[in-house]
């Protein structure tokens, strides 16, 4: 069975004068639809570059990237923009909310360019923010701001939810709550969720764990029985 997401010999090379620097150096992996995937590795391993290529925010120098049967590595700028807009939900480490818009307006803003969006207020309710919709980001805690960011991504109704160190700016308990929300989203909505992190302790919550080191996949593991994040300590 071919994967919902497939990377085949993907490379990202940067030219610095006469020196070629490989940020990603021949990555191969596949992910099935509806999986919760953790990509783990140290800083500088190439995790974010892989995520950016998957999300259409960057392009690969060599190799093939397939998402739902479509070769996105062959897309030109206009088509890549449509892919990023219509099919990808992003969650960033530092939320990237618009400070002079309320929580509801932040989610609604993203939906104005989405093809098949969900109701913004309903999704904010699902992430536990029904009482905070009219608050501005400065009036929200870090965990609440990240929930707004997740709601913004989910309300686009994406094929893929890509999360770049989503708990990196949060304390332990808040980080756990955010990971639980992401895990529940994957299970309840059947959404394919990819989380990149340097925290290997959260690997047992994933269906699939991909370890990246020096721009390559060093190991890929399938968890037969993923553990709820509430049971994981680090």
């Amino acid at each position: 069975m071919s994967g919902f997401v497939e990377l085949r010999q993907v490379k990202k090379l940067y030219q610095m004068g006469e020196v070629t620097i490989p940020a990603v150096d021949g990555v191969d992996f596949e992910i099935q639809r509806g999986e919760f995937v953790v990509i783990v590795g140290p800083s500088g391993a190439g995790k974010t570059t892989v995520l950016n290529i998957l999300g259409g925010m960057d392009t690969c120098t060599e190799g093939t990237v397939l998402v739902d049967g479509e070769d996105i590595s062959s897309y030109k700028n206009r088509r890549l923009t449509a892919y990023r807009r219509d099919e990808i939900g992003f969650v960033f480490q530092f939320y990237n909310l618009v400070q002079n818009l309320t929580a509801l307006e932040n989610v609604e803003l993203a939906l104005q360019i989405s093809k098949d969006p969900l109701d913004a207020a309903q999704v904010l309710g699902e992430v536990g923010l029904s009482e905070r919709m009219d608050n501005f980001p400065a009036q929200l805690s870090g965990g609440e701001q990240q929930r707004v960011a997740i709601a913004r991504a989910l309300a686009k109704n994406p094929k893929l939810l890509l999360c770049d160190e989503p708990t990196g700016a949060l304390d332990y308990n808040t980080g756990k709550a955010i990971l639980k929300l992401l895990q529940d989203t994957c299970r309840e909505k059947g959404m394919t969720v990819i989380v990149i992190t340097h925290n290997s302790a959260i690997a047992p919550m994933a269906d699939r764990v991909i370890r990246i080191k020096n721009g390559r996949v060093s190991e890929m593991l399938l968890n037969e029985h993923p553990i709820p994040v509430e049971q994981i300590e680090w």
Side-chain angles (χ1 to χ4, degrees):
M1 182 171 62
S2 61
F4 178 62
V5 172
E6 291 184 66
L7 273 69
R8 300 175 183 165
Q9 277 302 296
V10 169
K11 295 186 178 184
K12 180 66 179 181
L13 308 175
Y14 292 99
Q15 200 69 35
M16 305 286 286
E18 296 180 0
V19 180
T20 301
I21 300 172
V24 176
D25 195 18
V27 163
D28 285 287
F29 65 74
E30 67 176 51
I31 292 168
Q32 301 302 328
R33 188 189 298 270
E35 283 187 334
F36 188 95
V37 180
V38 169
I39 299 178
V40 66
S43 295
K47 307 184 300 296
T48 296
T49 304
V50 168
L51 200 78
N52 288 345
I53 290 170
L54 254 181
M57 289 204 294
D58 203 350
T59 55
C60 56
T61 311
E62 298 175 24
T64 304
V65 182
L66 298 171
V67 177
D68 199 14
E70 293 284 326
D71 180 5
I72 69 162
S73 51
S74 67
Y75 286 1
K76 301 300 183 217
N77 277 346
R78 184 183 290 269
R79 199 161 178 205
L80 204 58
T81 299
Y83 163 77
R84 195 166 55 235
R85 181 186 66 213
D86 297 333
E87 300 183 17
I88 300 297
F90 284 105
V91 179
F92 302 97
Q93 180 175 350
F94 295 108
Y95 329 131
N96 289 4
L97 301 178
V98 181
Q99 294 299 310
N100 61 346
L101 297 181
T102 65
L104 182 62
E105 289 166 344
N106 263 283
V107 177
E108 288 175 338
L109 181 65
L111 305 192
Q112 290 178 15
I113 57 170
S114 300
K115 189 166 62 176
D116 186 25
L118 306 175
D119 181 72
Q122 181 179 335
V123 177
L124 278 166
E126 289 173 0
V127 302
L129 290 179
S130 53
E131 304 295 315
R132 309 286 269 160
M133 291 187 202
D134 295 326
N135 288 85
F136 293 95
Q139 299 169 320
L140 302 173
S141 68
E144 288 170 334
Q145 289 184 66
Q146 192 61 294
R147 285 174 185 269
V148 175
I150 292 169
R152 178 180 58 190
L154 292 178
K156 289 178 65 183
N157 202 12
K159 283 184 179 178
L160 265 179
L161 185 62
L162 305 179
C163 310
D164 187 357
E165 296 276 9
T167 63
L170 303 173
D171 64 73
Y172 175 78
N173 289 324
T174 307
K176 255 192 167 179
I178 291 298
L179 288 170
K180 174 172 167 46
L181 175 59
L182 292 171
Q183 192 177 39
D184 290 349
T185 296
C186 175
R187 301 288 179 252
E188 293 165 12
K189 297 182 182 291
M191 188 174 289
T192 309
V193 179
I194 302 175
V195 175
I196 70 168
T197 181
H198 62 273
N199 182 8
S200 58
I202 71 170
M205 71 181 285
D207 298 305
R208 185 183 301 263
V209 181
I210 299 168
R211 297 185 186 276
I212 293 184
K213 187 177 180 181
N214 298 327
R216 297 183 177 183
V217 174
S218 62
E219 186 180 29
M220 185 160 73
L221 302 170
L222 287 176
N223 278 340
E224 294 278 330
H225 306 289
I227 298 171
V229 70
E230 302 95 311
Q231 296 177 21
I232 298 174
E233 300 292 336
W234 66 85

